Amino acid sequence: MGQNVLLIQPMHEKKEHKKERTSINFPWGLAYVADALQRAGHRVQILDGQALQLEKQELAPLIERYDADIIGITAFSTQFNAVRFLSEKIKAARNVPIIIGGPMATYQAQFTLEKTLADVCVIGDGEITAVDLLAHWNDKSRVEGIVYKENGAIHHTPKRMVLPVMDDLPMPDFSLFDMDRYLRQTNTYSGRKSQEIRAMAVPTSRGCPYSCHFCSLSSKSYRRMSPPKVRDLLAELKNNFGVQEIIFQDELFLTSKKSFKMLAPVLKDSGISWGAQGRVNTIDEEFLAMIRDAGCQGIGYGVESGSQKILTNMNKKITVEQIERTLRITQTSGVPMKIQLMFAYPGEDEQTVAETIDLMRRVDLPGRRMTVTIPIPGAPLYDDCLAQGLIPDEAEFLVGLEKSFGMGKVHINFTQWPDDEIYPRKAAAEEAMRMNYVNNNWRRKVKYFFTRRL
């Protein structure tokens, strides 16, 4: 007999977050798990606090309205405080079992079960594990890929083999979701506003073939959809929801020219514009021509730094020479690009910052806003911080991340500069890159003089 399952996504809270965000990503992981549970005979409902823009205090009372035998919560580690709060409220109200999935469960299962009232953490891919777990709830030791509480102890079962082929995932049941909430993206590569275009963020792979030390991968194993599967997914989104642009959420979408040759006709024939993440060591002129012809509106490059020392520290597996070459040929190709830069990574100093500024000057680009380094659970950098005692209290650290992630707080200082110098130095570097770009062309000087914008 099937169970009544409520699947929840908490809101990503910040101290000064804006209500009614226009850019809300569809919870694909939650959707695939919901579909798998439905196919196994369970009744599933969705409560997406992120889409509804409900803080945990607003979300908790709504949970009581659902007739749920089991509650599942998907969460990132930066949502630890929300999971702790919601699990306490759920247990106080009805004491139903709580299952945690997503990166928080995958990378911090023991910690999550110790610090919250959750009962089970699902590690990695959840589609098969969730069904197996509900089928063997009274003997969880038979279920691979979970960590669970029982009789006051925490137990780890053997790892589950990852879902080897993403094509095995059926199309999600979109009727469970208010789809209009996910089609108002403001972070489109084309630059068109949410009022002008129906755009959606879509992943077609899990994991990444690279292992940068600051990155918390969605999966340790890299897998991607086949071109026919991507074709069917794009057709579904276009025909049923009027999607006009796709922001591919893949950690690395443009992996190689060889694999893209098979996918390019699918993208071109879809009539949907798109943007995605690339890598400077895989791009050449022929690849860029294929990308442009397939409807690409922009490529994101994780440049991170213009210093080879920092790139090596990050395990980026790229060189400054590769960065410079790829940025130049991308400019020539006419494909717009977004450059991602980091600041204050371990080893950062005046010299490495100057090298980044000089790289942007050489390629005649204004750079962009730099991201101050923050260690995230699942990343080797985070493990290093734990090993070195830089995070003495994980719960306190994660609560701090939830409230001020990316909002001007130095969570861990990896440099020799005082904390209060990090953001001013970052701003100075950004301004130096911008003014180098302005001063290199008289038309830019005139425009900047009158508008103060590039």
Side-chain angles (χ1 to χ4, degrees), residues 22-25 182-188 194 199-201 247:
T22 54
S23 200
I24 296 171
N25 291 338
Y182 306 102
L183 299 173
R184 298 175 292 185
Q185 298 288 321
T186 56
N187 59 337
T188 60
S194 57
M200 191 169 179
I247 302 99

Side-chain angles (χ1 to χ4, degrees), residues 76-90:
F76 288 86
S77 295
T78 50
Q79 296 174 298
F80 160 72
N81 204 28
V83 171
R84 181 170 60 179
F85 177 86
L86 292 174
S87 66
E88 291 172 356
K89 294 298 181 182
I90 291 167

Side-chain angles (χ1 to χ4, degrees), residues 11-12 17-21 24 48-55 58 181:
M11 178 178 168
H12 293 271
H17 70 271
K18 296 180 180 179
K19 283 283 189 177
E20 292 302 321
R21 291 177 54 186
I24 296 171
D48 189 349
Q50 180 68 10
L52 297 171
Q53 287 293 281
L54 296 176
E55 298 181 32
E58 301 169 297
R181 291 184 178 272

